[in-house]
Amino acid sequence: MSLLLGTTITVSSNHWMMAWTGLEINTLAIIPLISKSHHPRAIEAATKYFLTQAAASTLLLFSSMTNAWFTGQWDITQLTHPTSCLLLTTAVSIKLGLTPFHLWFPEVLQGSSMTTGLLLATLMKFPSTALLILTSPSLNPTLLTTMAIASAALGGWMGLNQTQIRKVLAFSSISHLGWMTIILLYNPKLTLLTFYLYCLMTSAIFLALNTTKITNLATMMTAWTKIPPLTTTLMLALLSLAGLPPLTGFLPKWLIIQELTKQEMTPVATTIALLSLLGLFFYLRLAYCATITLPPNSSNHMKHWQTNKSVHILITTLISLSVLLLPLSPMIFTTT
């Protein structure tokens, strides 16, 4: 309830103090969820999360106070002072985990459970993304483009040698944030659309992994024998997240490259399109481990034949949307 309250307050506020209050409620609400398991790694993740988010909140408050000091405006859309804009970009980048402020995110995600990881990768990013969209006209385009390309590159490179699934998904999130940020100044609606579709595909993957109890590549290789249909559809959701046509994940990448080309930013569009190939490699590796690799002998762990039916219906719906939404692109063209 506190998570939903904090998100709603931040997204619907006009005043910087209200936005900051919402972000603080969010931070304080997620910490017990991260540290719930009482494992040393979970406690470490909660501490890291608290310290980084507290630093980001302080910077955000300092940015809004500086802007109010020089311009007399507390309105979120009236952020005009250059120093305030720079401080806000830094604060929101730390909140989201954009490069070069990304190092906390994979560690925190690795120390959390799958369900908490899903919240961290989706819902917790929504208030910060909303603030970025509201202040986008005032932000520095060169800085945002540089950070976006760095995020796409680093999210791809760092994900290549990971064996833990949650860390792979964390670097995937950093890479997708790069795609959202690069188009922010030119078409904020497209940033929001990319975020929504990313949340949809990530939710499907996290829930499927949580059902099959997959945490790393080794357990993923033996998951095929548990629930073959779910593992097959998990492969499709992973390829959709990679952005392969004709799946849903191709839609935001296609629209972003089209918009960048319209804005005469063809070199930037080419660079970020090539960097997405890095992400495609590790998604393909996950898909390969999930479906094509069969274990040489039966695994020794318990088989989960009976699973929660209501969760299965949710996963089925999310994976279907993650795979089949591309034909709706004409309707999205008319709305954006």
Side-chain angles (χ1 to χ4, degrees), residues 145 149 179 182-183 253-276:
T145 306
I149 290 175
W179 281 86
I182 204 157
I183 203 66
K253 287 185 167 59
W254 171 27
L255 294 178
I256 287 170
I257 289 171
Q258 187 180 3
E259 186 65 33
L260 286 172
T261 313
K262 279 183 192 170
Q263 300 289 337
E264 298 180 356
M265 295 176 70
T266 313
V268 174
T270 310
T271 307
I272 203 163
L274 288 172
L275 289 171
S276 70

Side-chain angles (χ1 to χ4, degrees), residues 288-303:
Y288 178 81
C289 289
T291 51
I292 303 170
T293 309
L294 286 177
N297 49 17
S298 59
S299 52
N300 295 323
H301 51 71
M302 291 288 290
K303 293 190 185 302

Side-chain angles (χ1 to χ4, degrees), residues 32-287:
L33 292 176
I34 299 172
S35 57
K36 187 175 61 174
S37 64
H38 300 296
H39 190 276
R41 183 167 282 175
I43 305 298
E44 182 190 338
T47 310
K48 283 177 179 174
Y49 185 79
F50 174 72
L51 291 173
T52 50
Q53 298 301 304
S57 293
T58 311
L59 275 175
L60 187 130
L61 200 56
F62 184 47
S63 160
S64 54
M65 285 173 69
T66 309
N67 190 64
W69 179 269
F70 282 104
T71 64
Q73 285 286 346
W74 280 100
D75 197 300
I76 291 177
T77 53
Q78 301 295 320
L79 193 79
T80 50
H81 195 264
T83 310
S84 298
C85 294
L86 189 63
L87 284 169
L88 178 85
T89 309
T90 309
V92 175
S93 300
I94 296 172
K95 283 268 178 200
L96 289 170
L98 263 174
T99 307
F101 309 106
H102 64 281
L103 291 170
W104 65 271
F105 189 56
E107 299 297 324
V108 171
L109 214 61
Q110 182 60 31
S112 313
S113 66
M114 278 291 177
T115 321
T116 313
L118 170 59
L119 287 174
L120 284 167
T122 54
L123 184 67
M124 296 301 290
K125 292 187 185 296
F126 187 48
S128 307
T129 309
L131 285 179
L132 261 188
I133 289 170
L134 285 171
T135 54
S136 58
S138 314
L139 303 179
N140 185 340
T142 313
L143 179 64
L144 280 181
T145 306
T146 309
M147 288 171 76
I149 290 175
S151 294
L154 203 125
W157 279 116
M158 297 283 282
L160 291 178
N161 62 345
Q162 300 296 332
T163 55
Q164 297 293 328
I165 306 291
R166 276 168 292 188
K167 280 200 173 180
V168 170
L169 289 170
F171 287 116
S172 149
S173 177
I174 292 166
S175 178
H176 277 84
L177 278 171
W179 281 86
M180 288 177 221
T181 311
I182 204 157
I183 203 66
L184 179 70
L185 295 176
Y186 310 105
N187 195 339
K189 283 184 185 175
L190 205 44
T191 299
L192 211 52
L193 173 71
T194 309
F195 180 72
Y196 289 152
L197 291 178
Y198 162 75
C199 287
L200 175 74
M201 294 181 285
T202 306
S203 302
I205 289 168
F206 266 104
L207 290 172
L209 292 173
N210 193 40
T211 305
T212 50
K213 301 292 183 286
I214 296 172
T215 52
N216 55 29
L217 287 179
T219 51
M220 199 170 211
M221 288 178 188
T222 58
W224 175 255
T225 52
K226 286 187 194 174
I227 314 173
L230 183 59
T231 323
T232 309
T233 48
L234 174 62
M235 178 195 74
L236 288 173
L238 284 165
L239 293 178
S240 181
L241 197 59
L244 275 186
L247 306 172
T248 306
F250 175 61
L251 179 60
K253 287 185 167 59
W254 171 27
L255 294 178
I256 287 170
I257 289 171
Q258 187 180 3
E259 186 65 33
L260 286 172
T261 313
K262 279 183 192 170
Q263 300 289 337
E264 298 180 356
M265 295 176 70
T266 313
V268 174
T270 310
T271 307
I272 203 163
L274 288 172
L275 289 171
S276 70
L277 292 174
L278 294 168
L280 176 62
F281 177 81
F282 61 72
Y283 291 122
L284 279 173
R285 187 174 63 166
L286 288 179

